[in-house]
Amino acid sequence: MRSTIVIPTYNEAENIAKLLPTLFDLPVEQLKILIVDDGSPDGTEDVANKLKSSYPNRISVLQRGARLGFGSAYIQGFQKALAEGSECIVQMDADFSHPPEKIIELLAALEQYDVVIGSRYITGGQLDENWPQWRKTLSSFGNYYARKILRLSIQDVTGGFRAWRRNVLLSMPLERVRSNGYSFQIEMIHIAHRLGYHLCEVPIYFAERSLGESKMSFQIQLEAALRVWQIRMAYQDIRPNQVQQSDV
C-alpha cells in the first residue's frame, strides 16, 4: 500500500537530516515523506530538498512561508497526501521523540483497525525516564482530563504519533477542525471516535529530543485545556452512521 509520512517542521534542519534516511531504511514499500515547513529560518526546507536527489520522487516539501500553526500544517499535509493517492497516512514529529521503527507496527495494526495511535500510556508505553516528575504529571493529567470530558477509551489522546486509513481522513470534516496547537490531536481523535471508527493503541517509548528546541509552551497547554470543552460541544451532531466512503 502507498504510505505517506506527514511531518510538520519549524527549525528542524538537524533532525530532518537524520530522520529521513532512517525512515527510508524501514522495510516499507511505496513509502513517501511529506515535510510541511512553516518558513524555518534554519534551512529545514533546503535540507529536505537536498535529500530529494538521494530518494527520487519520495520526498515532497510543502513550504508555507510563515508560522501558521501545528494543526493547519497537518490538515494541509493530510489533504496533499490524500490528493496524491496515499492509502495510509502516518503523522509524526521530526525530533525522534516518536521511534521510527514503530511505524512498522503501526502500519501492521492498520490492517485491522481504522486509526492506530503510538501510545505512552498503555502497558509497555513509557515517557522519557529523564523527564522531571512535574512534566510527567502534567502530561498524564492532560490525557486523563481530555479522556473524561470527551468520554474516550483511548489512553493517549494527546499523542501525535498516529497512522490513519485513507477512508477515515476522507470522511472527517477537516474543514471544521479549529485547534492549531496540541489540542489538534485531541480534536482529531474525538472526531474519529464520534464517527465510530475502530481505534487501536501500540505502546511506544517517548524520548526527549536531543537536537533543536521544543515547541511546547504554557500557551499551548492552556489552549488544549480550554479547547477540550469547545471540542465536546462542536461535534455533538456527528454520529457513526455519517461515515462516508468518499474519495477525492
Side-chain angles (χ1 to χ4, degrees), residues 134 138 181-183 214-226:
W134 67 265
L138 182 62
Y182 282 82
S183 55
S214 173
K215 312 303 186 298
M216 181 59 72
S217 67
F218 177 75
Q219 181 178 358
I220 290 173
Q221 295 169 346
L222 180 61
E223 181 213 9
L226 296 176

Side-chain angles (χ1 to χ4, degrees), residues 17-29:
K18 295 182 177 182
L19 179 61
L20 269 58
T22 300
L23 293 174
F24 284 129
D25 281 342
L26 297 174
V28 179
E29 296 183 2

Side-chain angles (χ1 to χ4, degrees), residues 76-211:
Q76 289 189 31
F78 292 161
Q79 291 171 334
K80 182 174 175 59
L82 291 169
E84 293 177 349
S86 292
E87 298 167 278
C88 304
I89 298 174
V90 176
Q91 61 173 92
M92 70 183 300
D93 292 346
D95 60 6
F96 284 93
S97 58
H98 300 146
E101 67 277 6
K102 279 288 185 173
I103 289 174
I104 306 300
E105 198 170 340
L106 265 62
L107 292 177
L110 205 62
E111 295 178 7
Q112 300 181 48
Y113 295 90
D114 299 307
V115 186
V116 183
I117 300 113
S119 178
R120 302 161 291 180
Y121 295 112
I122 63 171
T123 301
Q126 186 181 351
L127 290 167
D128 192 299
E129 58 190 12
N130 293 318
W131 271 22
Q133 187 57 49
W134 67 265
R135 190 174 177 186
K136 291 180 179 179
T137 300
L138 182 62
S139 177
S140 178
F141 175 76
N143 270 279
Y144 174 82
Y145 176 82
R147 286 200 316 270
K148 291 300 181 182
I149 293 172
L150 299 177
R151 300 170 185 172
L152 298 170
S153 59
I154 290 296
Q155 296 300 300
D156 197 340
V157 299
T158 62
F161 192 27
R162 298 172 178 176
W164 303 82
R165 283 190 179 183
R166 173 183 180 83
N167 67 295
V168 176
L169 289 175
L170 285 172
S171 71
M172 295 176 71
L174 298 180
E175 73 284 352
R176 291 173 59 177
V177 176
R178 293 290 177 265
S179 300
N180 218 13
Y182 282 82
S183 55
F184 168 79
Q185 313 292 9
I186 302 172
E187 187 164 354
M188 288 290 288
I189 214 66
H190 177 62
I191 296 171
H193 171 75
R194 294 285 300 180
L195 286 170
Y197 284 114
H198 295 102
L199 314 178
C200 169
E201 292 180 272
V202 168
I204 66 166
Y205 177 82
F206 185 87
E208 181 63 275
R209 67 161 60 230
S210 60
L211 297 172

Side-chain angles (χ1 to χ4, degrees), residues 20 24 30-33 48-60:
L20 269 58
F24 284 129
Q30 303 184 66
L31 177 65
K32 292 188 175 182
I33 295 176
N49 283 326
K50 287 178 182 177
L51 286 168
K52 284 184 178 181
S53 60
S54 300
Y55 306 97
N57 303 315
R58 300 185 70 187
I59 298 174
S60 298

